[in-house]
Each structure stands twice: as C-alpha cells, then as structure tokens.
PDB file of all heavy atoms in Angstrom:
ATOM      1  N   MET A1360       8.937  -5.375  -0.532  1.00  0.00           N
ATOM      2  CA  MET A1360       7.991  -4.637  -1.381  1.00  0.00           C
ATOM      3  C   MET A1360       8.256  -3.136  -1.436  1.00  0.00           C
ATOM      4  O   MET A1360       8.252  -2.569  -2.552  1.00  0.00           O
ATOM      5  CB  MET A1360       6.563  -4.959  -0.963  1.00  0.00           C
ATOM      6  CG  MET A1360       6.195  -6.402  -1.279  1.00  0.00           C
ATOM      7  SD  MET A1360       4.503  -6.814  -1.077  1.00  0.00           S
ATOM      8  CE  MET A1360       3.748  -5.922  -2.452  1.00  0.00           C
ATOM      9  N   PRO A1361       8.473  -2.346  -0.366  1.00  0.00           N
ATOM     10  CA  PRO A1361       8.123  -2.683   1.022  1.00  0.00           C
ATOM     11  C   PRO A1361       6.622  -2.491   1.294  1.00  0.00           C
ATOM     12  O   PRO A1361       5.928  -1.788   0.548  1.00  0.00           O
ATOM     13  CB  PRO A1361       8.962  -1.688   1.821  1.00  0.00           C
ATOM     14  CG  PRO A1361       9.068  -0.487   0.936  1.00  0.00           C
ATOM     15  CD  PRO A1361       9.079  -1.010  -0.477  1.00  0.00           C
ATOM     16  N   GLU A1362       6.175  -3.080   2.409  1.00  0.00           N
ATOM     17  CA  GLU A1362       4.777  -2.991   2.827  1.00  0.00           C
ATOM     18  C   GLU A1362       4.682  -3.382   4.295  1.00  0.00           C
ATOM     19  O   GLU A1362       5.433  -4.225   4.760  1.00  0.00           O
ATOM     20  CB  GLU A1362       3.909  -3.920   1.972  1.00  0.00           C
ATOM     21  CG  GLU A1362       2.423  -3.875   2.252  1.00  0.00           C
ATOM     22  CD  GLU A1362       1.657  -4.813   1.331  1.00  0.00           C
ATOM     23  OE1 GLU A1362       1.498  -4.454   0.137  1.00  0.00           O
ATOM     24  OE2 GLU A1362       1.216  -5.911   1.784  1.00  0.00           O
ATOM     25  N   ILE A1363       3.786  -2.740   5.015  1.00  0.00           N
ATOM     26  CA  ILE A1363       3.576  -3.051   6.424  1.00  0.00           C
ATOM     27  C   ILE A1363       2.094  -3.380   6.623  1.00  0.00           C
ATOM     28  O   ILE A1363       1.224  -2.641   6.157  1.00  0.00           O
ATOM     29  CB  ILE A1363       3.989  -1.886   7.342  1.00  0.00           C
ATOM     30  CG1 ILE A1363       5.476  -1.538   7.135  1.00  0.00           C
ATOM     31  CG2 ILE A1363       3.719  -2.216   8.806  1.00  0.00           C
ATOM     32  CD1 ILE A1363       5.922  -0.283   7.869  1.00  0.00           C
ATOM     33  N   THR A1364       1.802  -4.487   7.320  1.00  0.00           N
ATOM     34  CA  THR A1364       0.425  -4.910   7.575  1.00  0.00           C
ATOM     35  C   THR A1364       0.170  -4.949   9.080  1.00  0.00           C
ATOM     36  O   THR A1364       0.978  -5.497   9.831  1.00  0.00           O
ATOM     37  CB  THR A1364       0.156  -6.308   6.996  1.00  0.00           C
ATOM     38  OG1 THR A1364       0.471  -6.321   5.596  1.00  0.00           O
ATOM     39  CG2 THR A1364      -1.299  -6.712   7.181  1.00  0.00           C
ATOM     40  N   TYR A1365      -0.937  -4.357   9.490  1.00  0.00           N
ATOM     41  CA  TYR A1365      -1.368  -4.457  10.884  1.00  0.00           C
ATOM     42  C   TYR A1365      -2.117  -5.774  11.026  1.00  0.00           C
ATOM     43  O   TYR A1365      -3.224  -5.948  10.501  1.00  0.00           O
ATOM     44  CB  TYR A1365      -2.255  -3.269  11.263  1.00  0.00           C
ATOM     45  CG  TYR A1365      -2.688  -3.257  12.714  1.00  0.00           C
ATOM     46  CD1 TYR A1365      -1.799  -3.532  13.732  1.00  0.00           C
ATOM     47  CD2 TYR A1365      -4.004  -2.960  13.063  1.00  0.00           C
ATOM     48  CE1 TYR A1365      -2.194  -3.521  15.071  1.00  0.00           C
ATOM     49  CE2 TYR A1365      -4.410  -2.934  14.388  1.00  0.00           C
ATOM     50  CZ  TYR A1365      -3.490  -3.222  15.384  1.00  0.00           C
ATOM     51  OH  TYR A1365      -3.889  -3.217  16.712  1.00  0.00           O
ATOM     52  N   ILE A1366      -1.536  -6.723  11.715  1.00  0.00           N
ATOM     53  CA  ILE A1366      -2.014  -8.105  11.728  1.00  0.00           C
ATOM     54  C   ILE A1366      -3.447  -8.257  12.244  1.00  0.00           C
ATOM     55  O   ILE A1366      -4.246  -8.992  11.644  1.00  0.00           O
ATOM     56  CB  ILE A1366      -1.031  -9.000  12.520  1.00  0.00           C
ATOM     57  CG1 ILE A1366       0.343  -9.002  11.824  1.00  0.00           C
ATOM     58  CG2 ILE A1366      -1.562 -10.423  12.663  1.00  0.00           C
ATOM     59  CD1 ILE A1366       1.447  -9.669  12.632  1.00  0.00           C
ATOM     60  N   PRO A1367      -3.850  -7.606  13.349  1.00  0.00           N
ATOM     61  CA  PRO A1367      -5.207  -7.825  13.870  1.00  0.00           C
ATOM     62  C   PRO A1367      -6.326  -7.497  12.884  1.00  0.00           C
ATOM     63  O   PRO A1367      -7.397  -8.116  12.933  1.00  0.00           O
ATOM     64  CB  PRO A1367      -5.268  -6.908  15.092  1.00  0.00           C
ATOM     65  CG  PRO A1367      -3.844  -6.782  15.541  1.00  0.00           C
ATOM     66  CD  PRO A1367      -3.047  -6.771  14.268  1.00  0.00           C
ATOM     67  N   THR A1368      -6.130  -6.533  11.989  1.00  0.00           N
ATOM     68  CA  THR A1368      -7.209  -6.103  11.088  1.00  0.00           C
ATOM     69  C   THR A1368      -6.900  -6.270   9.603  1.00  0.00           C
ATOM     70  O   THR A1368      -7.810  -6.261   8.773  1.00  0.00           O
ATOM     71  CB  THR A1368      -7.546  -4.626  11.322  1.00  0.00           C
ATOM     72  OG1 THR A1368      -6.377  -3.833  11.031  1.00  0.00           O
ATOM     73  CG2 THR A1368      -7.989  -4.396  12.769  1.00  0.00           C
ATOM     74  N   GLY A1369      -5.632  -6.393   9.250  1.00  0.00           N
ATOM     75  CA  GLY A1369      -5.251  -6.448   7.840  1.00  0.00           C
ATOM     76  C   GLY A1369      -5.048  -5.101   7.187  1.00  0.00           C
ATOM     77  O   GLY A1369      -4.844  -5.015   5.961  1.00  0.00           O
ATOM     78  N   GLN A1370      -5.101  -4.004   7.951  1.00  0.00           N
ATOM     79  CA  GLN A1370      -4.833  -2.682   7.397  1.00  0.00           C
ATOM     80  C   GLN A1370      -3.411  -2.618   6.857  1.00  0.00           C
ATOM     81  O   GLN A1370      -2.510  -3.298   7.353  1.00  0.00           O
ATOM     82  CB  GLN A1370      -5.009  -1.595   8.474  1.00  0.00           C
ATOM     83  CG  GLN A1370      -6.411  -1.408   8.992  1.00  0.00           C
ATOM     84  CD  GLN A1370      -6.392  -0.676  10.325  1.00  0.00           C
ATOM     85  OE1 GLN A1370      -6.434  -1.285  11.392  1.00  0.00           O
ATOM     86  NE2 GLN A1370      -6.302   0.653  10.277  1.00  0.00           N
ATOM     87  N   LYS A1371      -3.218  -1.738   5.848  1.00  0.00           N
ATOM     88  CA  LYS A1371      -1.942  -1.685   5.163  1.00  0.00           C
ATOM     89  C   LYS A1371      -1.294  -0.310   5.265  1.00  0.00           C
ATOM     90  O   LYS A1371      -1.971   0.726   5.282  1.00  0.00           O
ATOM     91  CB  LYS A1371      -2.126  -1.999   3.672  1.00  0.00           C
ATOM     92  CG  LYS A1371      -2.647  -3.404   3.371  1.00  0.00           C
ATOM     93  CD  LYS A1371      -1.585  -4.467   3.514  1.00  0.00           C
ATOM     94  CE  LYS A1371      -2.096  -5.805   2.986  1.00  0.00           C
ATOM     95  NZ  LYS A1371      -1.072  -6.867   3.130  1.00  0.00           N
ATOM     96  N   ILE A1372       0.027  -0.317   5.294  1.00  0.00           N
ATOM     97  CA  ILE A1372       0.839   0.862   5.026  1.00  0.00           C
ATOM     98  C   ILE A1372       1.595   0.555   3.731  1.00  0.00           C
ATOM     99  O   ILE A1372       2.415  -0.358   3.685  1.00  0.00           O
ATOM    100  CB  ILE A1372       1.810   1.184   6.168  1.00  0.00           C
ATOM    101  CG1 ILE A1372       1.043   1.436   7.469  1.00  0.00           C
ATOM    102  CG2 ILE A1372       2.656   2.405   5.813  1.00  0.00           C
ATOM    103  CD1 ILE A1372       1.943   1.687   8.682  1.00  0.00           C
ATOM    104  N   LEU A1373       1.284   1.310   2.679  1.00  0.00           N
ATOM    105  CA  LEU A1373       1.857   1.080   1.363  1.00  0.00           C
ATOM    106  C   LEU A1373       2.860   2.171   1.016  1.00  0.00           C
ATOM    107  O   LEU A1373       2.729   3.316   1.474  1.00  0.00           O
ATOM    108  CB  LEU A1373       0.746   1.057   0.313  1.00  0.00           C
ATOM    109  CG  LEU A1373      -0.410   0.070   0.581  1.00  0.00           C
ATOM    110  CD1 LEU A1373      -1.558   0.328  -0.375  1.00  0.00           C
ATOM    111  CD2 LEU A1373       0.076  -1.366   0.493  1.00  0.00           C
ATOM    112  N   PHE A1374       3.848   1.845   0.194  1.00  0.00           N
ATOM    113  CA  PHE A1374       4.916   2.771  -0.158  1.00  0.00           C
ATOM    114  C   PHE A1374       5.002   2.901  -1.678  1.00  0.00           C
ATOM    115  O   PHE A1374       5.063   1.915  -2.400  1.00  0.00           O
ATOM    116  CB  PHE A1374       6.256   2.288   0.397  1.00  0.00           C
ATOM    117  CG  PHE A1374       6.280   2.154   1.897  1.00  0.00           C
ATOM    118  CD1 PHE A1374       5.770   1.019   2.522  1.00  0.00           C
ATOM    119  CD2 PHE A1374       6.796   3.167   2.689  1.00  0.00           C
ATOM    120  CE1 PHE A1374       5.780   0.898   3.905  1.00  0.00           C
ATOM    121  CE2 PHE A1374       6.816   3.058   4.068  1.00  0.00           C
ATOM    122  CZ  PHE A1374       6.303   1.922   4.672  1.00  0.00           C
ATOM    123  N   ARG A1375       5.030   4.142  -2.157  1.00  0.00           N
ATOM    124  CA  ARG A1375       5.107   4.397  -3.581  1.00  0.00           C
ATOM    125  C   ARG A1375       6.001   5.608  -3.853  1.00  0.00           C
ATOM    126  O   ARG A1375       6.357   6.354  -2.941  1.00  0.00           O
ATOM    127  CB  ARG A1375       3.707   4.668  -4.174  1.00  0.00           C
ATOM    128  CG  ARG A1375       2.731   3.503  -4.059  1.00  0.00           C
ATOM    129  CD  ARG A1375       3.094   2.337  -4.958  1.00  0.00           C
ATOM    130  NE  ARG A1375       2.032   1.329  -4.973  1.00  0.00           N
ATOM    131  CZ  ARG A1375       1.955   0.320  -4.101  1.00  0.00           C
ATOM    132  NH1 ARG A1375       2.860   0.200  -3.125  1.00  0.00           N
ATOM    133  NH2 ARG A1375       0.977  -0.567  -4.208  1.00  0.00           N
ATOM    134  N   GLY A1376       6.284   5.815  -5.144  1.00  0.00           N
ATOM    135  CA  GLY A1376       7.041   6.985  -5.567  1.00  0.00           C
ATOM    136  C   GLY A1376       6.315   7.702  -6.687  1.00  0.00           C
ATOM    137  O   GLY A1376       5.603   7.080  -7.483  1.00  0.00           O
ATOM    138  N   LEU A1377       6.492   9.004  -6.766  1.00  0.00           N
ATOM    139  CA  LEU A1377       5.864   9.766  -7.837  1.00  0.00           C
ATOM    140  C   LEU A1377       6.527   9.520  -9.182  1.00  0.00           C
ATOM    141  O   LEU A1377       6.043  10.016 -10.202  1.00  0.00           O
ATOM    142  CB  LEU A1377       5.889  11.261  -7.514  1.00  0.00           C
ATOM    143  CG  LEU A1377       4.814  11.744  -6.540  1.00  0.00           C
ATOM    144  CD1 LEU A1377       4.982  13.227  -6.266  1.00  0.00           C
ATOM    145  CD2 LEU A1377       3.423  11.485  -7.079  1.00  0.00           C
ATOM    146  N   ASP A1378       7.616   8.752  -9.198  1.00  0.00           N
ATOM    147  CA  ASP A1378       8.230   8.389 -10.464  1.00  0.00           C
ATOM    148  C   ASP A1378       7.440   7.318 -11.196  1.00  0.00           C
ATOM    149  O   ASP A1378       7.734   7.019 -12.355  1.00  0.00           O
ATOM    150  CB  ASP A1378       9.668   7.919 -10.243  1.00  0.00           C
ATOM    151  CG  ASP A1378       9.794   6.861  -9.144  1.00  0.00           C
ATOM    152  OD1 ASP A1378       8.949   6.831  -8.238  1.00  0.00           O
ATOM    153  OD2 ASP A1378      10.775   6.109  -9.169  1.00  0.00           O
ATOM    154  N   ASP A1379       6.429   6.743 -10.523  1.00  0.00           N
ATOM    155  CA  ASP A1379       5.554   5.771 -11.163  1.00  0.00           C
ATOM    156  C   ASP A1379       4.103   6.116 -10.826  1.00  0.00           C
ATOM    157  O   ASP A1379       3.473   5.464  -9.998  1.00  0.00           O
ATOM    158  CB  ASP A1379       5.888   4.351 -10.705  1.00  0.00           C
ATOM    159  CG  ASP A1379       5.278   3.285 -11.618  1.00  0.00           C
ATOM    160  OD1 ASP A1379       4.407   3.637 -12.451  1.00  0.00           O
ATOM    161  OD2 ASP A1379       5.671   2.113 -11.516  1.00  0.00           O
ATOM    162  N   PRO A1380       3.536   7.150 -11.490  1.00  0.00           N
ATOM    163  CA  PRO A1380       2.209   7.635 -11.112  1.00  0.00           C
ATOM    164  C   PRO A1380       1.102   6.597 -11.281  1.00  0.00           C
ATOM    165  O   PRO A1380       0.102   6.644 -10.566  1.00  0.00           O
ATOM    166  CB  PRO A1380       1.990   8.842 -12.043  1.00  0.00           C
ATOM    167  CG  PRO A1380       2.957   8.645 -13.173  1.00  0.00           C
ATOM    168  CD  PRO A1380       4.132   7.939 -12.583  1.00  0.00           C
ATOM    169  N   LEU A1381       1.249   5.656 -12.217  1.00  0.00           N
ATOM    170  CA  LEU A1381       0.216   4.645 -12.419  1.00  0.00           C
ATOM    171  C   LEU A1381       0.027   3.765 -11.190  1.00  0.00           C
ATOM    172  O   LEU A1381      -1.090   3.324 -10.887  1.00  0.00           O
ATOM    173  CB  LEU A1381       0.550   3.777 -13.636  1.00  0.00           C
ATOM    174  CG  LEU A1381       0.423   4.456 -15.003  1.00  0.00           C
ATOM    175  CD1 LEU A1381       0.847   3.507 -16.112  1.00  0.00           C
ATOM    176  CD2 LEU A1381      -1.004   4.937 -15.239  1.00  0.00           C
ATOM    177  N   LYS A1382       1.132   3.511 -10.467  1.00  0.00           N
ATOM    178  CA  LYS A1382       1.049   2.696  -9.261  1.00  0.00           C
ATOM    179  C   LYS A1382       0.356   3.427  -8.118  1.00  0.00           C
ATOM    180  O   LYS A1382      -0.049   2.806  -7.141  1.00  0.00           O
ATOM    181  CB  LYS A1382       2.447   2.248  -8.831  1.00  0.00           C
ATOM    182  CG  LYS A1382       3.047   1.174  -9.739  1.00  0.00           C
ATOM    183  CD  LYS A1382       4.338   0.643  -9.181  1.00  0.00           C
ATOM    184  CE  LYS A1382       4.894  -0.475 -10.045  1.00  0.00           C
ATOM    185  NZ  LYS A1382       6.184  -1.022  -9.510  1.00  0.00           N
ATOM    186  N   ILE A1383       0.238   4.729  -8.215  1.00  0.00           N
ATOM    187  CA  ILE A1383      -0.465   5.511  -7.211  1.00  0.00           C
ATOM    188  C   ILE A1383      -1.959   5.577  -7.523  1.00  0.00           C
ATOM    189  O   ILE A1383      -2.802   5.352  -6.671  1.00  0.00           O
ATOM    190  CB  ILE A1383       0.134   6.926  -7.102  1.00  0.00           C
ATOM    191  CG1 ILE A1383       1.540   6.849  -6.493  1.00  0.00           C
ATOM    192  CG2 ILE A1383      -0.758   7.830  -6.243  1.00  0.00           C
ATOM    193  CD1 ILE A1383       2.244   8.170  -6.417  1.00  0.00           C
ATOM    194  N   THR A1384      -2.279   5.879  -8.760  1.00  0.00           N
ATOM    195  CA  THR A1384      -3.681   6.049  -9.141  1.00  0.00           C
ATOM    196  C   THR A1384      -4.452   4.735  -9.137  1.00  0.00           C
ATOM    197  O   THR A1384      -5.681   4.742  -9.089  1.00  0.00           O
ATOM    198  CB  THR A1384      -3.786   6.692 -10.534  1.00  0.00           C
ATOM    199  OG1 THR A1384      -3.050   5.909 -11.480  1.00  0.00           O
ATOM    200  CG2 THR A1384      -3.207   8.104 -10.506  1.00  0.00           C
ATOM    201  N   SER A1385      -3.751   3.598  -9.183  1.00  0.00           N
ATOM    202  CA  SER A1385      -4.426   2.305  -9.254  1.00  0.00           C
ATOM    203  C   SER A1385      -4.451   1.558  -7.919  1.00  0.00           C
ATOM    204  O   SER A1385      -4.784   0.380  -7.875  1.00  0.00           O
ATOM    205  CB  SER A1385      -3.756   1.418 -10.312  1.00  0.00           C
ATOM    206  OG  SER A1385      -2.384   1.179  -9.976  1.00  0.00           O
ATOM    207  N   ILE A1386      -4.127   2.217  -6.822  1.00  0.00           N
ATOM    208  CA  ILE A1386      -4.068   1.555  -5.516  1.00  0.00           C
ATOM    209  C   ILE A1386      -5.453   1.148  -5.028  1.00  0.00           C
ATOM    210  O   ILE A1386      -6.401   1.920  -5.116  1.00  0.00           O
ATOM    211  CB  ILE A1386      -3.400   2.477  -4.479  1.00  0.00           C
ATOM    212  CG1 ILE A1386      -1.900   2.554  -4.735  1.00  0.00           C
ATOM    213  CG2 ILE A1386      -3.635   1.956  -3.050  1.00  0.00           C
ATOM    214  CD1 ILE A1386      -1.176   3.503  -3.816  1.00  0.00           C
ATOM    215  N   SER A1387      -5.554  -0.077  -4.522  1.00  0.00           N
ATOM    216  CA  SER A1387      -6.767  -0.545  -3.860  1.00  0.00           C
ATOM    217  C   SER A1387      -6.375  -1.299  -2.594  1.00  0.00           C
ATOM    218  O   SER A1387      -5.278  -1.855  -2.510  1.00  0.00           O
ATOM    219  CB  SER A1387      -7.593  -1.445  -4.784  1.00  0.00           C
ATOM    220  OG  SER A1387      -6.847  -2.603  -5.155  1.00  0.00           O
ATOM    221  N   VAL A1388      -7.271  -1.311  -1.596  1.00  0.00           N
ATOM    222  CA  VAL A1388      -7.002  -1.980  -0.323  1.00  0.00           C
ATOM    223  C   VAL A1388      -8.121  -2.956  -0.016  1.00  0.00           C
ATOM    224  O   VAL A1388      -9.252  -2.810  -0.485  1.00  0.00           O
ATOM    225  CB  VAL A1388      -6.842  -0.953   0.825  1.00  0.00           C
ATOM    226  CG1 VAL A1388      -5.583  -0.129   0.630  1.00  0.00           C
ATOM    227  CG2 VAL A1388      -8.059  -0.036   0.920  1.00  0.00           C
ATOM    228  N   ASP A1389      -7.803  -3.975   0.796  1.00  0.00           N
ATOM    229  CA  ASP A1389      -8.768  -5.027   1.133  1.00  0.00           C
ATOM    230  C   ASP A1389      -9.647  -4.668   2.322  1.00  0.00           C
ATOM    231  O   ASP A1389     -10.788  -5.123   2.422  1.00  0.00           O
ATOM    232  CB  ASP A1389      -8.025  -6.336   1.443  1.00  0.00           C
ATOM    233  CG  ASP A1389      -7.226  -6.856   0.264  1.00  0.00           C
ATOM    234  OD1 ASP A1389      -7.673  -6.659  -0.886  1.00  0.00           O
ATOM    235  OD2 ASP A1389      -6.149  -7.452   0.483  1.00  0.00           O
ATOM    236  N   VAL A1390      -9.128  -3.847   3.234  1.00  0.00           N
ATOM    237  CA  VAL A1390      -9.831  -3.499   4.467  1.00  0.00           C
ATOM    238  C   VAL A1390      -9.973  -1.987   4.557  1.00  0.00           C
ATOM    239  O   VAL A1390      -8.994  -1.257   4.391  1.00  0.00           O
ATOM    240  CB  VAL A1390      -9.080  -4.027   5.705  1.00  0.00           C
ATOM    241  CG1 VAL A1390      -9.773  -3.576   6.986  1.00  0.00           C
ATOM    242  CG2 VAL A1390      -8.954  -5.543   5.663  1.00  0.00           C
TER     243      VAL A1390
END
C-alpha cells in the first residue's frame, strides 16, 4: 500500500504524497 497497523488496537500509520492532494484531504480512520 504501504500501510502499518498496530494489531492490539487497529491504529494506523498511513503513507501519502503531496502529488495527490485528494488522497490527503479525504483520509479517514477506524480507530
């Protein structure tokens, strides 16, 4: 993706680039 998940809680580490600003402004998380 890449993406990293902390298994005990489901927290996320997400990776983006400023070359795609829509993917930054539309980010949502589950936890």
Side-chain angles (χ1 to χ4, degrees):
M1360 292 189 70
E1362 183 179 285
I1363 301 172
T1364 304
Y1365 183 44
I1366 298 171
T1368 62
Q1370 294 161 264
K1371 297 284 189 181
I1372 300 177
L1373 306 169
F1374 300 82
R1375 298 290 189 272
L1377 280 178
D1378 50 334
D1379 196 347
L1381 289 177
K1382 287 187 177 180
I1383 291 177
T1384 55
S1385 61
I1386 287 177
S1387 61
V1388 292
D1389 298 327
V1390 176

